[in-house]
Structure formats: C-alpha cells, structure tokens
Amino acid sequence: MPEAVTPEAFADAFVPDDDEIAAATEQSLELGVEPVSPATGMALALAAAARPAGSFVEIGTGAGVSGLWLLRGAPGAQLTTIDHDHDRHVAARARFQSAGHTGRTVRFITGRAADVLPRMNEDAYDLVLVDADSEPVAQYTETALRLVRPGGTVLVARVLQQGKVANPSRRDRRTTVYRDLLRGVREREDLLAGVSPVGDGLLQLVRR
C-alpha cells in the first residue's frame, strides 16, 4: 500500500512549484535561515492578494522567500523589507531582481527592526509580516499593528513553535514568549485574531 502522507506534507505538495522561490529557499538554507514552508508561503500570498496594489512591510528578509510569496499574491504591491544582515539583503535583492521585481517594487532597509520600526509612518501600510527573532516578537507585533491602517493585516510566522506552544508542560523562554503573544491578542476588542496551523503556525490579525 502507498505510504501515508502527513497533512503538512500534503499541504506543502499542493502548492505549485515556483523556480525563483525554490532558488531563494535553497539560498536561505545556505545562509542558515529557516524559510517558511510552501504552504505557509501560499497563505502569505493569499493574504497579500486581498491587497493587490497595497503597501507591505516585512520584518525579517532572509534570502527573500517570504517577500517573494507576498509579491506572488500581489505583484502590484510595494514591499519594504527589513533585516539587520547585509549579506541576506544582497542575496534577497538578487532573487527579487531575477523574479522581475525592481527597486521601485522592493525597498531594502538594513538595520535592527527595533531601531527602524519606530521611524516608520503609522497607519500607512496594508500588511505587515513579522518573521524575525523570537524575543522581541511581541514588541514587533504591537508596532506592526500601529503601522497598518484600520482594516490592515498583521501576520506573525512560526507562532506554534513546532507544537510546543500548545503543550502546557513546555515552559522554556522561547515557547513562553509566543504563548504570551497569543494570549495577549486573543481577547483584544480592537483586533480580529486567528491562528492557522499551516507550517509552524501563522497568526493572522486584522486591525478593526
């Protein structure tokens, strides 16, 4: 009998191939950056497609995988992508250019997100993706919610931490940070909040 496929593997295999994203994924791994899964990437593209000519911010460029997914969903959007690592931006810039996204489409800001975000305009963006260091993730998320317009979307990747967040016996610092984030946004009346189990978990927030 054929070997059973996990739901996660099935969801990843369901996503059509994309040569540029595949190349960026390979380069991400070479740089030591874990890229989002294909199913997570498609979830990003679907969220972006609701804002086809929007203005997006990405916290955590890596080698450009997540950004390419966002622009796959909304090729007419403008993306500002932030990362502290110059080498990652060099790699991502090449991948974006190869995919046909010019400097008019993608703006790179090299620096720590904690320093960059406070200088960005509030209520000015349609979508913000947070896919960066775990320790300041709550701070980044709160800032992202100020950056998006009312009705705008904030996406936070990897919030389930390989299932650890759902396990109450796990109390390590990294897991606790994400668990506290989810607890904090769940009951807020100014947000519509949901968690998708796709990939390693994708938190979706809409600012009311």
Side-chain angles (χ1 to χ4, degrees), residues 114-169:
D115 298 327
V116 173
L117 294 174
R119 302 198 299 268
M120 301 182 74
N121 292 331
E122 297 185 3
D123 299 331
Y125 299 92
D126 298 293
L127 182 151
V128 178
L129 169 63
V130 180
D131 187 12
D133 298 332
S134 62
E135 194 65 28
V137 68
Q139 175 190 346
Y140 291 165
T141 302
E142 190 60 40
T143 303
L145 288 167
R146 293 199 298 271
L147 295 182
V148 295
R149 302 179 176 95
T153 299
V154 173
L155 305 171
V156 186
R158 310 176 203 278
V159 294
L160 295 181
Q161 291 293 295
Q162 300 176 329
K164 297 174 185 175
V165 169
N167 183 351
S169 67

